[in-house]
Amino acid sequence: YLYAALGTVSGTSISFGTTATIESSSVEAEGNYACYDSTNERVAVCYRRSSMGRCRVLNPQSDGSIGIGSEANFSSVNITDKLGVAFNSTEGRVMVAYAQDGSGEPGKFALGTISGGNLDDITFTQSNSYEGGGVQYVALTYDTSKNAAVILYSMDSSNSYKLRCAAGTITGDSTSWGSSQNVISSASATNEYPGIGYDESQNVPVIVYEDRTDNNYGKARVLTLSTDTPPAITLNTAVLISGNQTFANSNNKSLIY
């Protein structure tokens, strides 16, 4: 099952309202991701169920309860259970980056729009793919200063276990992707659970990952995006987070600003 609870922060404590059931059938645990739609004041939750990409809109209530919208598909094909979700505040749309399951695992991208009388419905349009194949783990953020989606993703053995990033500019239902940059060009194993976030105070995306070429140490890098359309990415110097291998063995790394 998949559940949600609304938390209220007071000082250094947090209290939760009644747990709501988002989905009452089996969902894949590694592919449940959410983003906040600041335009409509809703939360979009994306997940994999029966091998397909699904999404529901959550409507937080003042009494601590949560309204749950109807389920919608963000994919028309089977997907893997690793995906990235972020909100594009310029376009007012939910973005989902994922990998197709089969056909070489290409990197797919979908755009969702929340609508309906209670703003609890969402519909998706398939946009331009960001990678032709071999995609494994995916993380996604939105750079508000450059109006760009920024994806960090790892690749399979046939692609030398690369860790790559790409930035895209969205116009309507189309996404124009710039050239991908290799964070790691070759490694001995898949880079699992890379993370990406956006620092609004500095207007830069930041990535965290395990460096499979350096004892699996945890590292971070600031990405600099150009003003081009689509933006080009410059990789700045990597900074050590954790000088031990436990970083690589801990799942579901995330980065939040």
Side-chain angles (χ1 to χ4, degrees):
Y1 287 23
L2 184 61
Y3 301 98
L6 182 63
T8 301
V9 177
S10 177
T12 58
S13 64
I14 184 169
S15 58
F16 288 93
T18 303
T19 299
T21 301
I22 299 173
E23 179 55 55
S24 58
S25 62
S26 177
V27 298
E28 281 74 11
E30 289 187 310
N32 308 321
Y33 300 92
C35 69
Y36 178 65
D37 179 337
S38 56
T39 301
N40 296 302
E41 298 183 337
R42 299 290 186 269
V43 176
V45 178
C46 297
Y47 52 94
R48 187 176 81 154
R49 183 177 67 78
S50 301
S51 299
M52 298 288 287
R54 322 278 186 167
C55 184
R56 289 182 186 267
V57 176
L58 309 186
N59 180 5
Q61 304 294 312
S62 59
D63 62 359
S65 63
I66 301 174
I68 300 174
S70 301
E71 187 179 73
N73 287 1
F74 65 78
S75 72
S76 58
V77 296
N78 289 354
I79 70 167
T80 68
D81 59 358
K82 285 82 176 176
L83 53 104
V85 180
F87 181 65
N88 181 328
S89 56
T90 302
E91 299 287 333
R93 303 179 79 176
V94 175
M95 308 181 298
V96 186
Y98 62 99
Q100 181 175 340
D101 188 5
S103 300
E105 284 73 48
K108 301 284 190 176
F109 193 66
L111 298 170
T113 302
I114 292 177
S115 61
N118 294 319
L119 295 175
D120 56 4
D121 295 323
I122 188 167
T123 55
F124 283 92
T125 299
Q126 294 301 307
S127 193
N128 303 73
S129 298
Y130 59 89
E131 180 65 57
V135 175
Q136 299 293 291
Y137 293 79
V138 186
L140 174 66
T141 194
Y142 178 66
D143 184 328
T144 58
S145 68
K146 303 299 192 300
N147 185 24
V150 188
I151 298 178
L152 177 66
Y153 59 98
S154 60
M155 305 191 74
D156 60 16
S157 59
S158 64
N159 290 277
S160 303
Y161 296 117
K162 290 181 175 69
L163 179 65
R164 312 191 82 182
C165 57
T169 301
I170 298 168
T171 304
D173 293 335
S174 298
T175 305
S176 176
W177 295 103
S179 298
S180 296
Q181 297 293 316
N182 290 332
V183 180
I184 296 175
S185 59
S186 180
S188 59
T190 301
N191 192 297
E192 298 179 342
Y193 305 101
I196 188 169
Y198 180 67
D199 184 339
E200 291 187 352
S201 66
Q202 301 298 319
N203 292 324
V204 291
V206 181
I207 62 173
V208 294
Y209 59 96
E210 54 180 312
D211 190 342
R212 292 287 195 177
T213 66
D214 187 15
N215 297 308
N216 295 346
Y217 290 164
K219 294 186 178 180
R221 275 187 171 184
V222 173
L223 307 183
T224 301
L225 271 59
S226 72
T227 56
D228 302 320
T229 302
I233 297 177
T234 299
L235 298 171
N236 294 293
T237 304
V239 176
L240 185 68
I241 300 172
S242 174
N244 61 69
Q245 294 188 1
T246 58
F247 184 90
N249 297 326
S250 61
N251 291 345
N252 295 317
K253 304 169 186 69
S254 62
L255 187 61
I256 300 172
Y257 283 92

